[in-house]
Amino acid sequence: MTEIVLSLGRSLRTLGRGRVWLLFFGPALVALVVWIGLMTFALEGLIGILVEQPPLTWLASWGAVWLAKLGAVLAGWLLVLAAAFVTAMLLAAIFVMPLLLDHVALADYPELARAGKDSLLAGAWNSIAAVLLYAVGWLLTLPLWLLPGLGLLLPILWMAWLTRRTFAYDALTVHATDQEWRVLRRQHGLPLLLLGVVLALLAHIPVLGLLTPTLAALAYTHFCLEALRRLRQGALVTVIDEQAVLEKVK
């Protein structure tokens, strides 16, 4: 938990640098336009479609028409929120993350050598693949939202997974070797997901939640680069011996 608090604290400190604010608001503004547009032109029709789909039709046939309508409204709002959030996340991951990573790495972690792969295409594909898996999983588990408590828990867990999958990879792809990434994922798997849960909770705050993807980019950058620095034991690294890295963590 300490590393999560540390990464969030450093992210807020990074926001004190003027140039970062230009990057911080860009994805949120575009996502806000998407959110308003969907609410205005698509939400009513989306609710009408959802209320005619199982399992909501099952509820209506059992006489719980009000519950079916309530479920359709809730699912419609969550779909609109998810669409706006995913828009902001893709923009942050593909366009903003590389710029933030360069800025943070140079300012806060100058001793970390870039031993990974600097591939914009690989990062973009990782983000798009994560969103597709998120959408499929979100829809497949939609019937479970009718179970008490899961309607609140599942959206947060899916969003946490999406955030972790997208930004943890992007934060390390340039600096870490494939072997280092596997070691860090094994050592910090749970904290990386818990950081995603914290950010997912923030994402559910109306309007302000659209700023979360860029905050996530900052938080995962600080978390992952600090973890990589500790893995390398704070040394100035120019050439990484992957076998030596493995021996250090055994």
Side-chain angles (χ1 to χ4, degrees):
M1 197 66 184
T2 303
E3 56 264 56
I4 294 175
V5 175
L6 180 64
S7 64
L8 290 172
R10 288 180 176 177
S11 299
L12 294 177
R13 186 183 65 189
T14 301
L15 288 175
R17 302 167 191 165
R19 180 188 170 193
V20 175
W21 281 101
L22 296 176
L23 302 174
F24 190 69
F25 283 108
L29 290 175
V30 176
L32 182 61
V33 172
V34 171
W35 189 38
I36 293 173
L38 289 175
M39 284 194 303
T40 303
F41 301 107
L43 181 58
E44 185 175 349
L46 182 60
I47 292 172
I49 293 173
L50 289 171
V51 80
E52 296 177 356
Q53 306 301 316
L56 298 181
T57 52
W58 304 342
L59 292 175
S61 67
W62 297 336
V65 177
W66 68 271
L67 185 57
K69 291 182 178 179
L70 179 61
V73 171
L74 177 60
W77 272 96
L78 287 174
L79 276 171
V80 168
L81 176 63
F85 181 82
V86 165
T87 300
M89 174 161 285
L90 284 174
L91 290 172
I94 296 173
F95 300 106
V96 175
M97 182 69 173
L99 300 175
L100 284 177
L101 182 61
D102 286 342
H103 178 83
V104 172
L106 183 62
D108 300 295
Y109 307 91
E111 73 277 18
L112 285 180
R114 297 187 174 215
K117 298 171 291 187
D118 190 0
S119 174
L120 179 61
L121 182 61
W125 170 245
N126 174 71
S127 301
I128 293 171
V131 167
L132 292 175
L133 289 172
Y134 166 77
V136 171
W138 200 93
L139 291 173
L140 288 177
T141 57
L142 195 57
L144 298 177
W145 293 21
L146 296 176
L147 299 177
L150 288 184
L152 297 176
L153 183 61
L154 283 175
I156 292 172
L157 291 179
W158 273 118
M159 197 170 285
W161 175 86
L162 175 63
T163 305
R164 196 280 308 167
R165 165 71 185 261
T166 301
F167 291 114
Y169 175 87
D170 289 346
L172 286 170
T173 186
V174 173
H175 288 81
T177 65
D178 291 340
Q179 190 63 59
E180 286 176 321
W181 168 228
R182 285 192 289 269
V183 171
L184 290 171
R185 186 169 52 189
R186 185 173 68 247
Q187 289 183 339
H188 301 281
L190 182 58
L192 285 169
L193 184 60
L194 289 177
L195 177 57
V197 170
V198 173
L199 293 163
L201 290 171
L202 294 177
H204 283 79
I205 300 174
V207 183
L208 292 179
L210 297 178
L211 296 170
T212 306
T214 315
L215 178 60
L218 275 175
Y220 273 98
T221 296
H222 279 293
F223 186 106
C224 292
L225 293 186
E226 177 61 29
L228 181 60
R229 177 161 62 184
R230 292 179 181 180
L231 178 65
R232 294 178 181 176
Q233 297 184 349
L236 179 62
V237 179
T238 55
V239 178
I240 299 295
D241 183 344
E242 294 186 8
Q243 187 61 38
V245 171
L246 281 176
E247 292 174 357
K248 288 180 183 179
V249 298
K250 286 181 179 177

